Every structure is written in structure tokens, then in C-alpha cells.
Amino acid sequence: MFQPEYEMMDRERLEALQLERLNSLLARVYETVPTYRRKFDAADMVPHVSSLDELAGVPFTVKDDLRAAYPYGMFAVPMSEIVRVHSSSGTTGQVSVVGYTAGDLDRWSDLMARTFAAAGGTRDDVVQIAYGYGLFTGGLGAHYGSERLGCATIPISGGNTKRQVHVMKDFGTTILACTPSYALLIAETARDMGIDPTQLSLRAGVFGAEPWSENTRAEVERQLGITATDIYGLSEVLGPGVASECECQCGLHVNEDHFIIEIVDTETLQPVADGKFGEVVFTTLTKEGIPVVRYRTRDISRIVPGECSCGRTFRRLERLTGRSDDMLIIRGVNVFPSQIEQGLLGIKGVAPHYQVVLSRRGSMDQVEVQVEVSPEVNFDEVKTLERLRARVRAEITSALAVSIGVRLVEPRFIQRSEGKAKRVVDLRAEGSE
Ligand SMILES: [Zn+2]
């Protein structure tokens, strides 16, 4: 454990620390960020709470607030204090820009060092960072954490997959950090090159930046011969390092000394009890550059009830089912691509590569899931294929509670990604893709 004095903090002391930091935050943003002053004034509130429960009465911050303040309008310090700028990946429209002070980078490094330590990392490890370096927070966030822990850090960034395999073999990589879908591509590429990744020094992986299922975890662990842990973060709140799994692999410990997590009902927006699902909301307690108060992430999850056997006292966020932006509504039923994945991956004969294709026939929306068959399946044998298709369709129907079309495709039909996997292809708007 990198900082046991915090990570195993007594809950009572932790909550006292949170309250003190929360009040300092509220006073600070009221003073320095016009958006918060306006919101707090409109809610007729003073920037002070006498208990953590009172946070529920403070207005939310949403992505549109950050967009409206583009680029620097929500920074809480003058630009002379900012030493680093990142931005969100912009997959859902205009990006938001985030700034870090030197103190922010220092704390971020500590939090990511906790992440690598929680995955079993020590200063003896060789860490290959295959997250993208750049405006995306993943690469540099992981980089500084790995260095802070004292690991030999390889800043290879994403892409050039054959080189990833060569480096992994020649440099003796022991921990891989990237998206889970990229980890699968690296495994596949290694086998193509005649290298069995399970025979290399690699022993652990720190994976995030996209929702993934337990089945994908099993697949990544099997193909690479490693223990795979999940991490969570988003640029508006920090980047990676907000929450991460320990080796128990039973939910992601939220760094509660730096963030307050709330789960709110998606309809009423009222906080729900631990164990209940809802939208994940974060308040940053110590960030200086661009702190956020009750930021609605659009991610759906819940707090795992109970204590973890690792000894950390921070509560655990259940691995993400999906971002509400990724949710599809199929004949009135809410569907996340990760549920399709969960339905698929236990089936022998299909590979962990799939895509949901939306199209329009007349005025009707059509949904089809394309699933790759494994290389060992004879794609020309119609009977085998038809049996497999029926099985896949039955599994998906049972996982989603709605029936959708399935098409089996040949191995490698679905385009691989070196970053976040593209799970949904929307052909409904004419002229697009
Ligand atoms: Zn734990």
C-alpha cells in the first residue's frame, strides 16, 4: 500500500477530514469561480456546510457548465499557477479543458502510485504505459504514478502494436497499463508474431478508460497470463486515479480523502443508500486548478456494501456498467454495450470482439450485433455456424431482456482499436460512415 496512513484511515477521522476539506473547497470556489458564485447565490446558500449530509443541498455541476466556460472559465486559480492542461476526449461533443497546478500534479502522482501499488506493483516492476500520451489524461496520469511508486516506467504510448510486443519481451515488462480492448489486441498480435505472451515476464495489468465486463477480464487474464485490475477516472474530476481496484478485484476503492462520491437516483437526483444503483457524482476536495462540486459523471454504478479484505477503508465503486451516454434504448429497454459483452463472452466459439450496428429500414430502427467467431471455428460449415448463432442470440436475449438480431462475422472482421474500442456503429443518419 502506497499511503496506508490515508488508505486505511479510520472512517470517523476520514469524514472529519472530508468535512474540513469540503468547507475549504466551497469557500474557495465561491470566491474564485463565477459559475459557482452564481449557482450558490441562486440556491440562496452560503458556501459552508455543518455536516457531510448537507452536501445534498448544494447545486450540481454538469458537463455543460464546463463547456459554457470553455476554455478556462472554471479555473479557480490564475493561469500563472497552472502548469499542465489536458482536455476530455470529446467523444460526446465539444471538449472540456482542465488545468492542474504543481500541487495538483503532485497529488495526482500519489493517487496513481496508490493505483499501481493496489495492483501489486512495487519499485521492482517494469511498467509499460500504452495509454495515449497527449491531451488525454491516461498516459501522463499513469506515467507520473508509476514513477512516483519507483517503477521503471516505459512511456511507449498507444499504437504500433508490434513494437509494443517487442518492447514487452525485450524490456521485461511486468505491468501493462492500457485499455482492456487494447490489451486483447496486443495479445492477439503477439500470438501472430509467434510469441506466447503468457510466457513473458508480464504478471499484472492496470486497465481502464472504457467499461468492460468480468468476462473480458477473464479473457485478458487468460490470454496474457496476468492479474487484471480495473481503474476509474475522468478528466473533469482528475483523470485516472479517482478509484482503483485492489488485488481482491471486488470493486474500485475511491480515494475518499480527495474525493466525495455520491450515488444519486437518476430520476429524483436524490442520494441513494450504499448498494443501490444510480448516477455517480464526485466532489473534488483538494484540486486547485479546476475543482468541481457535485459533478454529474453520467456514469451508472453503485457502492459495493461492506468492507474489503485488503484493509483499505475507502468505499468501493462497483465496476462500471456503462456511461449513460453509451446507453441504447432498444424497443423501450435500456441496453449498455457491456451487457451484450457479458452475455457473449462465456460462449465457446466466439471471440471477444463485437459491435452493435444501428441502422434504419423505412421508419424502423434496426439493431444488429455483429460477433466474431473464434479462429478455430470453420466459418464455411453452415450447420455449426447456425447453431452458434442461435446460441449467441439466446444468450444476448437473456442478458438484455430484449431480442436483437445477431450476425456472426469472420475472425478479424471487426476493426481493432488502439485506444477505446468502438462498440456502437450508428448508420441511421444518411451519409455518415
Ligand atoms: Zn480492497
Side-chain angles (χ1 to χ4, degrees), residues 217-237:
R217 181 193 330 248
E219 198 60 30
V220 169
E221 292 191 329
R222 186 181 67 79
Q223 292 197 20
L224 288 171
I226 60 171
T227 304
T229 54
D230 191 16
I231 65 172
Y232 173 83
L234 62 172
S235 58
E236 292 84 355
V237 175

Side-chain angles (χ1 to χ4, degrees), residues 260-272:
I260 291 181
I261 182 170
E262 297 170 272
I263 306 291
V264 302
D265 184 283
T266 52
E267 300 287 324
T268 66
L269 300 182
Q270 290 303 308
V272 299

